[in-house]
Amino acid sequence: TAAVLSGRELAAAIRSETAAEAAQLSAAGTAPTLAVVVATADESSAWYVRSIARAAEQVGITCDIVDLGREATGPEIRRTLDALSADDRVHGVILQTPLPPGVDAQEMALAIRFDKDVDGANPLSLGRLAAGLPAFAPATAEAVVRILEHHGVEPAGRHVAMVGRSTVVGKPAAHLLLDRNATVTVCHSRTRDLAAVTSAADVVVAAAGRIGLITADHVAPGAVVVDVGTNPTVDGGLVGDVNATSVGEKAGALTPVPGGVGPVTTALLLAHTVQAASTLRQS
Ligand code: NAD
């Protein structure tokens, strides 16, 4: 059976490092501050925002939730992001999704100043990432790489099948893995014979948002599987994109849901905020 690649210990390590840096910055007169802009009444989004706020406070980061309500318009959201980008007191800015119908997240995120873009939502950040220039990667994409490295799975030279090509997970994760010298195949909903592609890979990263998409037929014996999926279940639980029962009997290692990529993602958001505070302070 597959080894369980937990994200909890790594998340705790990142949080304690972040807490130490936050304390230093605060003592020096810069209280690291993260602003989360919300324009939805979505329940799972509200749950996620509360968990970020709680985690931030625990490491000594001030978290401002700016709730514009689900009636917010594009120009309103943009003005808010502009104001936060200009506010010296704020070091990190996140725009929570979903957004009201007709409001495009990437279009809005262009208003997040790139050195405060701690979740890599501004298309400029993704472009810089692709070009190999310094930028914040989306926390989830970075979490994929960090969890692999933490468990001693070096991407270099390995064939990674990335399932999903979204701008928040699949594409940035593919770039981060490429930068670490992995051979990356990016799969998506139009990929013909997904199982043939993924079962040829050493590492399968599932970020499709489809419950149970990845089964034993999709993985090579002994492969490493990272499950990014966070799909809500009817009973209020959370399941991944990987059928853990069938994959667990064939894969060499598998990240759990919950307790895998998720906690590392939140920890990295906080780490990025402290990093932004430190950089902005010196500029
Ligand atoms: P998305 O809907 O934007 O993108 C999904 C991608 O998967 C698309 O590129 C699509 O082509 C591909 N896809 C869909 N069905 C497929 C199929 N049958 N075969 C192959 N590819 C398929 O989703 P997203 O925002 O990238 O998120 C993906 C998953 O990751 C979701 O479950 C989401 O909840 C989760 N997520 C988790 C975290 C975290 O912190 N753990 C953060 C962000 C997203």
Side-chain angles (χ1 to χ4, degrees), residues 48 139-141 143 162-170 187-191 194 206-210 213-214 227-232 239-241 260-266:
Y48 182 62
T140 308
M162 179 72 232
V163 183
R165 58 171 162 185
S166 72
T167 49
V168 281
V169 190
C187 314
H188 46 79
S189 54
R190 304 283 289 273
T191 295
L194 180 68
R210 299 279 181 274
L213 174 67
I214 304 299
D227 192 353
V228 182
T230 48
N231 309 295
V239 290
D241 289 355
V261 172
V264 179
T265 297
T266 309

Side-chain angles (χ1 to χ4, degrees), residues 29-261:
T30 299
T33 301
L34 173 66
V36 184
V37 177
V38 181
T40 175
D42 184 75
E43 213 13 78
S44 61
S45 162
W47 180 88
Y48 182 62
V49 170
R50 278 196 299 275
S51 81
I52 292 174
R54 213 166 31 235
E57 275 150 33
Q58 278 165 7
V59 300
I61 292 174
T62 305
C63 184
D64 292 348
I65 298 170
V66 183
D67 192 348
L68 301 177
R70 62 175 163 181
E71 309 279 307
T73 64
E76 258 177 273
I77 295 169
R78 202 194 314 261
R79 266 198 306 279
T80 303
L81 295 173
D82 278 333
L84 292 167
S85 293
D87 185 344
D88 287 339
R89 207 183 55 80
V90 172
H91 308 105
V93 179
I94 310 177
L95 175 60
Q96 184 61 25
T97 54
L99 292 172
V103 182
D104 180 66
Q106 291 207 73
E107 208 53 63
M108 293 300 111
L110 282 166
I112 301 174
R113 186 177 145 159
F114 121 87
D115 46 11
K116 297 188 181 185
D117 185 25
V118 291
D119 202 20
N122 187 330
L124 177 65
S125 295
L126 182 56
R128 291 185 58 110
L129 203 72
L133 294 169
F136 288 115
T140 308
E142 189 177 336
V144 169
V145 174
R146 294 289 297 270
I147 208 165
L148 286 171
E149 289 177 341
H150 174 77
H151 289 284
V153 183
E154 265 305 315
R158 283 192 161 90
H159 180 193
V160 181
M162 179 72 232
V163 183
R165 58 171 162 185
S166 72
T167 49
V168 281
V169 190
K171 277 181 195 158
H175 285 297
L176 291 173
L177 290 159
L178 265 180
D179 279 346
R180 285 160 182 77
N181 300 311
T183 302
V184 184
T185 306
V186 182
C187 314
H188 46 79
S189 54
R190 304 283 289 273
T191 295
R192 214 178 294 155
D193 201 352
L194 180 68
V197 179
T198 54
S199 59
D202 304 304
V203 178
V204 177
V205 182
R210 299 279 181 274
I211 296 178
L213 174 67
I214 304 299
T215 65
D217 291 343
H218 293 78
V219 300
V224 174
V225 182
V226 178
D227 192 353
V228 182
T230 48
N231 309 295
T233 58
V234 278
D235 57 356
L238 212 59
V239 290
D241 289 355
V242 175
N243 181 328
T245 316
S246 90
V247 170
E249 283 166 18
K250 193 171 178 191
L254 169 64
T255 66
V257 177
V261 172

